[in-house]
Amino acid sequence: MSEFDLIKQHFTRATRHTNLSVGDDAALIAVSEGMELAISADMLVAGTHFFADTDPYQLGWKALAVNVSDMAAMGANPKWSTLTIALPHNDTTWLTQFSNGFFACAEAFDIDLIGGDTTRTKHENGLTLSVQIMGEVPVGKAIRRSGAQAGDDIWVSGELGKAAAALAHLLGSQNIPDTELTDHLNALHMPQPRIALGLALRDVATSCLDISDGLLADLGHILKASKVGADIQLQDILTSKFISSNLDKTEFRQYVLAGGDDYELCFTASPNDEAYLHRLSKNLNLPLSKIGKITSSLGLNSLGLNSLGLNVFDTNNQIIELANTGYNHFN
Ligand code: ADP
Ligand code: MG
């Protein structure tokens, strides 16, 4: 099968918001009046971001979903994507499942695939996927990382740590019981980007990002960009039943504070918006947890997370020594 046939068979579907799609030298799109284009890209590399034998449907979903998540974090409405893919084999079964997963996510969020590039790699395990996403946000309304202010509440959506626990389970270092396994594996393989939340936060959140590298590492980006500090209450962070009741203190903290791949949103908002956010949580049927406060502290030393003025308090209101618990390399 030629490269052209492969693209036609697997990556060409009807579009909804596109003037010219797959098949020409470039795609053509028109940005709606009063909107800015939000653009982001994320690459997934076999062996680094996923196992080479990962289920292709789930991989297709995730390749797009992690990009959609970046739109959610900006308060942007995703509309267009491109897909660049380096394939070791022209395996029709694999490609069919992969593209079905990709388009399942595209349909769920009303996104067109408008172009890309397809190439062969000579490396047996060299499967590489790069997705670019473009979305619209009203001019000036995008939620940046730099707007957090002292006194703002810090909020997180969903249950943190599940993807990291699922990964540990797959690697054999954790044993999640059958009753909770699907939920955790779904968090890892089929992340649900929080678009509805992101859109509803446009006029509320003072800063926002999606959690891909772990709560503390990602919150650290907000603190740096906003030049503020934060106090976090560990017990207010929502996680799964398995993580909260089966794990020791160190593992619990590892998953909840440093577990990557969650794709939940972490955002800041004025305390005046608390009631709105509780209502929003009900309407979206999505937990929103208030986990701490932005402080004016810029941090006193240059070592570890405390240099960001980031303090995490345990149930006894004692500061957890992050530097001694292995989180400092998540800076
Ligand atoms: P060119 O040689 O002009 O770069 P290509 O042969 O690489 O064109 O691609 C032909 C068309 O198919 C282009 O419109 C391109 O955007 C699209 N395309 C290529 N690979 C993909 C893919 N994996 N997914 C979606 N569209 C693709
Ligand atoms: Mg090309």
Side-chain angles (χ1 to χ4, degrees), residues 5-312:
D5 290 335
L6 185 158
I7 295 164
K8 193 157 184 225
Q9 181 176 343
H10 298 291
F11 299 117
T12 310
R13 296 209 189 169
T15 55
R16 283 153 284 204
H17 345 273
T18 304
N19 297 344
L20 185 63
S21 187
V22 173
D24 215 308
D25 289 304
L28 298 172
I29 57 176
V31 182
S32 315
E33 184 139 2
M35 294 289 191
E36 292 186 289
L37 204 53
I39 306 174
S40 176
D42 253 318
M43 183 149 73
L44 298 180
V45 179
T48 303
H49 301 100
F50 61 91
F51 302 118
D53 63 353
T54 294
D55 177 85
Y57 182 94
Q58 294 181 330
L59 186 60
W61 173 281
K62 186 164 178 175
L64 183 56
V66 299
N67 283 275
V68 177
S69 179
D70 285 315
M71 294 290 102
M74 296 298 288
N77 188 20
K79 293 181 88 170
W80 305 281
S81 63
T82 63
L83 169 65
T84 299
I85 178 164
L87 291 166
H89 310 283
N90 183 351
D91 177 341
T92 301
T93 309
W94 190 94
L95 278 165
T96 301
Q97 291 172 10
F98 174 83
S99 61
N100 283 342
F102 187 96
F103 282 111
C105 184
E107 260 149 52
F109 294 95
D110 203 19
I111 298 164
D112 291 345
L113 177 63
I114 62 169
D117 201 15
T118 305
T119 162
R120 219 24 122 72
T121 168
K122 294 202 174 89
H123 301 283
E124 183 62 25
N125 293 318
L127 178 63
T128 303
L129 306 161
S130 180
V131 174
Q132 185 183 38
I133 191 143
M134 287 147 280
E136 291 182 328
V137 59
V139 175
K141 290 282 185 190
I143 313 167
R144 305 175 184 211
R145 295 177 175 186
S146 53
Q149 289 177 9
D152 283 352
D153 291 324
I154 302 168
W155 294 79
V156 167
S157 65
E159 299 174 336
L160 297 191
K162 289 196 292 193
L167 181 62
H169 178 93
L170 294 177
L171 293 171
S173 62
Q174 200 58 258
N175 193 5
I176 305 177
D178 286 350
T179 47
E180 290 197 70
L181 189 53
T182 310
D183 181 43
H184 287 71
L185 289 176
N186 279 344
L188 178 63
H189 291 309
M190 301 276 292
Q192 303 296 316
R194 304 305 186 189
I195 287 294
L197 174 60
L199 297 180
L201 291 178
R202 271 176 187 167
D203 292 315
V204 174
T206 52
S207 70
C208 184
L209 48 60
D210 63 324
I211 303 176
S212 52
D213 297 331
L215 173 65
L216 295 192
D218 287 318
L219 178 60
H221 298 314
I222 288 183
L223 303 186
K224 260 188 200 146
S226 300
K227 300 189 174 64
V228 290
D231 287 348
I232 300 291
Q233 304 295 329
L234 184 64
Q235 80 267 16
D236 292 337
I237 306 173
L238 193 63
T239 185
S240 68
K241 197 164 113 262
F242 169 73
I243 294 173
S244 56
S245 49
N246 294 60
L247 302 184
D248 68 29
K249 212 163 74 177
T250 312
E251 283 179 320
F252 175 88
R253 291 174 183 180
Q254 179 68 33
Y255 290 135
V256 167
L257 298 175
D261 256 3
D262 277 322
Y263 302 101
E264 295 295 347
L265 296 186
C266 174
F267 59 95
T268 55
S270 156
N272 298 333
D273 290 316
E274 180 167 355
Y276 168 82
L277 290 166
H278 286 304
R279 276 201 308 278
L280 181 63
S281 170
K282 272 210 190 93
N283 292 342
L284 297 178
N285 195 20
L286 173 69
L288 295 178
S289 314
K290 195 176 79 172
I291 64 163
K293 275 220 173 278
I294 294 292
T295 64
S296 54
S297 155
L298 284 170
L300 299 173
N301 62 59
S302 59
L303 294 172
L305 286 161
N306 289 97
S307 68
L308 297 167
L310 174 55
N311 296 310
V312 182

